[in-house]
Amino acid sequence: PPFPISLVGPVQKGFGRGGKDLGCPTANLPDDSITPISSVAKTGVYYGYAQVIPPQESRGDFQTDDLNVLPMVMSLGWNPFYKNKVLTAEIHIMHNFQSDFYGYEMRAIVLGYIRPELDYVSREALIEDIEIDKQVALNCLQRPAYQVYAKDSHFQHQE
Ligand code: ADP
Ligand code: MG
């Protein structure tokens, strides 16, 4: 696929497939916002950068560092809720947020592919793989050539 791929949309409520219990909450983008990736990319796990932009009236719920452009892993997969006919993009941002951010604008730049979707024999195996994905993402984003994307005009920057 032609990376970088830019995505933007309001964070939607998911179907509680256990993101938070797995220690890995995933912020869902609305279906119509993921066309730039769903039309070109295969299902699986991706890495890149994301930023959450609260509306003015909710700005007080966020700390300054919650506004940063942050490393993320994204899962692109067929949504079982829609009988696997609809693709869903879910983003886990590698940052400890002060609060949830449902409805807030999320912006992302997807930079690369990590792996296909896999079937897991256990919850532990899944959690282990998510940990590996995060390490892979952080390592990949070390490349100086990628760091320019954190400063891209797709994101909002202070001053
Ligand atoms: P849902 O099924 O609604 O997507 P999750 O358990 O996956 O529920 O939690 C996702 C929500 O958690 C996000 O929409 C966001 O509001 C919140 N959240 C808190 N921290 C993060 C994070 N680091 N990355 C992604 N979402 C987060
Ligand atoms: Mg989720």
Side-chain angles (χ1 to χ4, degrees):
F3 300 118
I5 299 171
S6 300
L7 302 172
V8 57
V11 173
Q12 286 196 325
K13 196 119 188 101
F15 302 105
R17 278 192 288 166
K20 276 181 191 149
D21 337 315
L22 295 172
C24 190
T26 56
N28 296 40
L29 281 169
D31 299 340
D32 62 346
S33 74
I34 67 167
T35 322
I37 190 155
S38 61
S39 59
V40 292
K42 52 193 173 183
T43 60
V45 179
Y46 293 80
Y47 65 88
Y49 288 110
Q51 181 184 39
V52 180
I53 301 162
Q56 201 56 51
E57 66 272 19
S58 305
R59 174 63 186 84
D61 299 343
F62 256 28
Q63 299 207 322
T64 310
D65 63 351
D66 295 338
L67 300 167
N68 288 344
V69 175
L70 298 158
M72 64 82 167
V73 286
M74 183 185 86
S75 152
L76 182 69
W78 296 104
N79 193 325
F81 189 83
Y82 294 113
K83 303 199 165 96
N84 298 322
K85 285 178 184 151
V86 174
L87 274 172
T88 305
E90 302 179 20
I91 293 180
H92 172 71
I93 303 177
M94 285 176 263
H95 176 74
N96 200 359
F97 282 89
Q98 194 66 17
S99 67
D100 279 357
F101 44 85
Y102 288 113
Y104 297 13
E105 180 174 287
M106 180 165 63
R107 297 188 155 259
I109 296 184
V110 184
L111 293 171
Y113 189 66
I114 300 179
R115 63 169 171 92
E117 283 183 296
L118 301 168
D119 278 330
Y120 291 97
V121 290
S122 70
R123 200 182 136 87
E124 287 69 29
L126 170 59
I127 293 172
E128 228 167 81
D129 242 15
I130 293 171
E131 282 312 312
I132 295 172
D133 294 334
K134 292 186 202 173
Q135 289 312 315
V136 171
L138 290 174
N139 277 327
C140 288
L141 293 171
Q142 295 293 317
R143 296 175 207 281
Y146 279 150
Q147 283 161 32
V148 301
Y149 292 112
K151 306 205 161 67
D152 194 275
S153 62
H154 181 58
F155 296 120
Q156 276 185 13
H157 302 282
Q158 323 308 328
E159 83 238 299

